[in-house]
Amino acid sequence: MYKILIVDDETLIRESLREIFEYEGHQVSEAEDGAKALELLQNETLDVVFCDIKMPKVDGLEVLEKATAFSTVPFVMISGHGDIDTAVECIKKGAFDYISKPLDLHRVLVSLKNATEQHRLFKQTRQLKKQVGDKYQIIGSGKEMQAVLEMADKVAGTEARVLILGESGTGKELVARRIHENSAYAAGSFVEVNCAAIPSELIESELFGHEKGSFTSAIRQRKGSFEQADGGTLFLDEIGDMSLSAQAKVLRVLQENKITKVGGEKSVEVHARVIAATNKKLSVEIAQGRFREDLYHRLSVIVLKLPSLKERAEDIPELVRYFIKEISLLMGKPIRSIDTDALLFLQKQPWPGNIRQLRNVVERLLILCEKKITLGDVEKYL
């Protein structure tokens, strides 16, 4: 069942549409003018609006324009003066569909089905985006983390390459994603490559792709990460673990914006923003010949140094409460509270595994503790 609003100054049209929709089992509201329609749009939850264009006082196009400023409900515009120019104007202003009078029953029902399906998909997509956004949310209002985020937001709107430094578990990927989402590349893909997790003999295939038959297991052509990230962001995590051979080829791509697949001869142009991260001290790696200095300078236009959890202990209570809520919802359990002295104890710990370790501890406490988390619980299960 859908909730439908019919907006038309002709009583006969409203009654005819109501009869059609109620026969199909839908709930119907009516408005005889644009002003009443805008009032209903602000106060009721609707699935679709069928709106006449020519009405006294506030016409249908004005209703459509004003409604799109605060509502995502789809509009099907109705007119007794059917012409292409009017239909185009309606679509440009955000209408889902346009129907001419006299109304055809089949056309009305098809438009209703398509409009409500689009609205359902829109709401579903918005919910999924919210879930993804929550998953990658950065928690921490302390001055250490806020300074990093301010710089990340400042650099996001530029073309500058960014190198993110920090211990394992400090949230380097989250910062990279924040830069991507606030950049001109946000409409493109965010492609992550963990350079430490890919064997050195496969890293070049992973980054640049390969042609069919270029090596034993290459049974088909494959796009590499650079090509997948074209128009978006390529996040090279743990780049300090990349082989020197792959480093040389990455440097060339950064210089020329072109890749050549493994086993291929033709160059492919790519335009992806590169963000790199590592937990290693690259100055030491360069001095010992394990990392190219020229690549370092290409990647480090902006360097962001993430503080360890120990350095931002003021954020621990906020992080703990966030993890309690997140994990409780995932486990389908009530959200529990935690004693202040338990939080103070957690703030004094060294946290060598940083945020990742803290989250694991919170999950352990939620599994093993009864009701409220106490200091004794933390001392027992830390």
Side-chain angles (χ1 to χ4, degrees):
M1 182 186 76
Y2 298 120
K3 181 71 182 291
I4 303 167
L5 172 62
I6 303 167
V7 187
D8 201 304
D9 59 326
E10 295 184 48
T11 304
L12 184 60
I13 295 293
R14 297 201 308 272
E15 288 178 350
S16 298
L17 286 173
R18 173 185 281 277
E19 187 176 323
I20 292 168
F21 295 142
E22 288 186 339
Y23 180 80
E24 295 291 324
H26 304 302
Q27 187 178 345
V28 179
S29 296
E30 294 182 24
E32 65 277 4
D33 57 54
K36 177 70 179 298
L38 288 169
E39 182 184 341
L40 289 172
L41 278 159
Q42 289 178 317
N43 296 314
E44 292 189 18
T45 302
L46 299 165
D47 294 300
V48 65
V49 177
F50 283 78
C51 183
D52 189 26
I53 294 177
K54 299 295 183 183
M55 293 185 295
K57 297 181 183 177
V58 182
D59 69 16
L61 288 175
E62 190 175 348
V63 173
L64 174 63
E65 281 189 285
K66 290 182 176 179
T68 52
F70 63 84
S71 173
T72 60
V73 64
F75 269 67
V76 177
M77 305 305 291
I78 302 170
S79 176
H81 309 280
D83 60 70
I84 295 297
D85 290 341
T86 305
V88 169
E89 187 179 4
C90 289
I91 301 303
K92 279 184 176 180
K93 291 183 182 293
F96 171 77
D97 201 358
Y98 173 87
I99 301 177
S100 299
K101 296 178 182 178
L103 300 177
D104 176 79
L105 171 62
H106 177 71
R107 178 79 173 80
V108 168
L109 292 177
V110 167
S111 188
L112 171 65
K113 179 183 177 182
N114 292 340
T116 49
E117 177 64 12
Q118 185 207 50
H119 196 216
R120 182 188 69 80
L121 291 172
F122 176 83
K123 291 190 290 186
Q124 187 179 63
T125 301
R126 187 170 57 181
Q127 180 62 28
L128 288 171
K129 283 184 175 180
K130 183 180 183 303
Q131 290 174 2
V132 170
D134 290 345
K135 180 181 177 181
Y136 297 115
Q137 185 178 357
I138 298 175
I139 306 299
S141 53
K143 61 180 182 180
E144 293 281 348
M145 201 62 203
Q146 285 304 306
V148 171
L149 296 181
E150 284 175 18
M151 186 178 288
D153 292 342
K154 187 179 292 185
V155 75
T158 73
E159 297 285 325
R161 297 190 186 101
V162 182
L163 177 63
I164 305 172
L165 305 177
E167 297 175 7
S168 293
T170 51
K172 297 188 288 295
E173 181 195 348
L174 300 185
V175 174
R177 285 183 179 274
R178 184 183 179 112
I179 294 170
H180 169 72
E181 292 297 334
N182 292 324
S183 75
Y185 296 88
S189 301
F190 180 90
V191 179
E192 179 185 359
V193 178
N194 187 332
C195 302
I198 302 168
S200 58
E201 63 271 16
L202 296 179
I203 187 69
E204 291 180 27
S205 172
E206 177 68 31
L207 292 172
F208 313 118
H210 59 251
E211 297 290 353
K212 180 180 178 181
S214 56
F215 51 87
T216 305
S217 58
I219 58 174
R220 63 177 64 88
Q221 188 188 65
R222 181 187 181 279
K223 280 187 176 182
S225 300
F226 268 100
E227 204 171 352
Q228 292 171 34
D230 190 25
T233 300
L234 177 61
F235 177 49
L236 299 175
D237 197 10
E238 304 304 348
I239 196 167
D241 292 279
M242 183 182 286
S243 68
L244 286 169
S245 171
Q247 288 177 39
K249 293 188 177 181
V250 168
L251 177 63
R252 184 177 176 184
V253 175
L254 298 182
Q255 290 170 337
E256 301 177 0
N257 289 322
K258 292 179 180 179
I259 62 161
T260 303
K261 289 182 170 66
V262 175
E265 297 178 359
K266 185 180 177 182
S267 294
V268 178
E269 197 165 320
V270 291
H271 296 278
R273 183 178 194 168
V274 175
I275 300 175
T278 183
N279 61 4
K280 292 188 173 183
K281 290 185 178 180
L282 291 185
S283 58
V284 174
E285 297 299 303
I286 291 168
Q288 296 182 0
R290 291 193 294 265
F291 200 83
R292 295 181 62 110
E293 187 172 7
D294 47 3
L295 177 58
Y296 171 79
H297 291 303
R298 283 279 175 180
L299 294 170
S300 61
V301 177
I302 299 293
V303 178
L304 294 178
K305 174 69 169 69
L306 297 195
S308 66
L309 188 55
K310 186 177 180 180
E311 293 171 317
R312 50 181 290 220
E314 60 197 296
D315 290 332
I316 288 177
E318 187 179 356
L319 283 162
V320 169
R321 293 189 181 98
Y322 173 81
F323 289 141
I324 287 174
K325 181 179 179 181
E326 177 197 41
I327 297 166
S328 296
L329 291 172
L330 287 172
M331 295 169 62
K333 292 187 175 183
I335 298 171
R336 301 181 198 171
S337 58
I338 182 169
D339 285 341
T340 302
D341 52 356
L343 288 172
L344 290 172
F345 181 80
L346 289 171
Q347 283 182 282
K348 294 175 183 177
Q349 303 309 304
W351 300 111
N354 291 291
I355 299 170
R356 192 176 294 123
Q357 182 187 4
L358 177 63
R359 189 189 186 283
N360 289 344
V361 167
V362 172
E363 185 171 5
R364 187 184 309 139
L365 289 167
L366 289 173
I367 292 171
L368 299 176
C369 297
E370 297 292 333
K371 298 181 180 178
K372 191 173 187 179
I373 299 171
T374 66
L375 173 60
D377 293 326
V378 173
E379 290 176 330
K380 183 177 179 180
Y381 299 119
L382 183 63

